[in-house]
Amino acid sequence: MKKTKAALCVALMLLTALLFSQSSAKVCVSAKGRKYHTANCRTIKSSAITTLTKEEAIRAGYEACKVCRP
Ligand SMILES: [Zn+2]
């Protein structure tokens, strides 16, 4: 019984870590664009890029790029 609880606890911690890492994934936005991209998207120009988390980008009103699908 004790082992089951410990295993459950570890599983829960791993799940939380996984969810956290997904929500804080880094995306890039350009100064004038209204979309967020992965760092290596071909449609984003290398100048004037801001890196932020996906969550922050969504909150700031950016939409996901249809080319790189971040
Ligand atoms: Zn893109």
Side-chain angles (χ1 to χ4, degrees):
M1 197 65 187
K2 224 175 181 181
K3 269 186 183 171
T4 313
K5 264 192 176 176
L8 199 71
C9 193
V10 170
L12 210 68
M13 273 163 58
L14 283 172
L15 192 71
T16 308
L18 193 73
L19 287 174
F20 181 76
S21 66
Q22 278 181 347
S23 66
S24 63
K26 290 282 188 287
V27 294
C28 297
V29 297
S30 60
K32 288 177 183 174
R34 297 307 302 160
K35 300 242 165 83
Y36 62 86
H37 307 263
T38 59
N40 55 1
C41 178
R42 62 185 162 88
T43 69
I44 197 166
K45 291 195 175 72
S46 56
S47 61
I49 288 177
T50 308
T51 304
L52 67 177
T53 67
K54 192 174 175 177
E55 202 176 47
E56 284 170 340
I58 293 167
R59 210 180 299 149
Y62 290 99
E63 290 171 25
C65 170
K66 287 188 176 74
V67 177
C68 59
R69 291 179 225 182

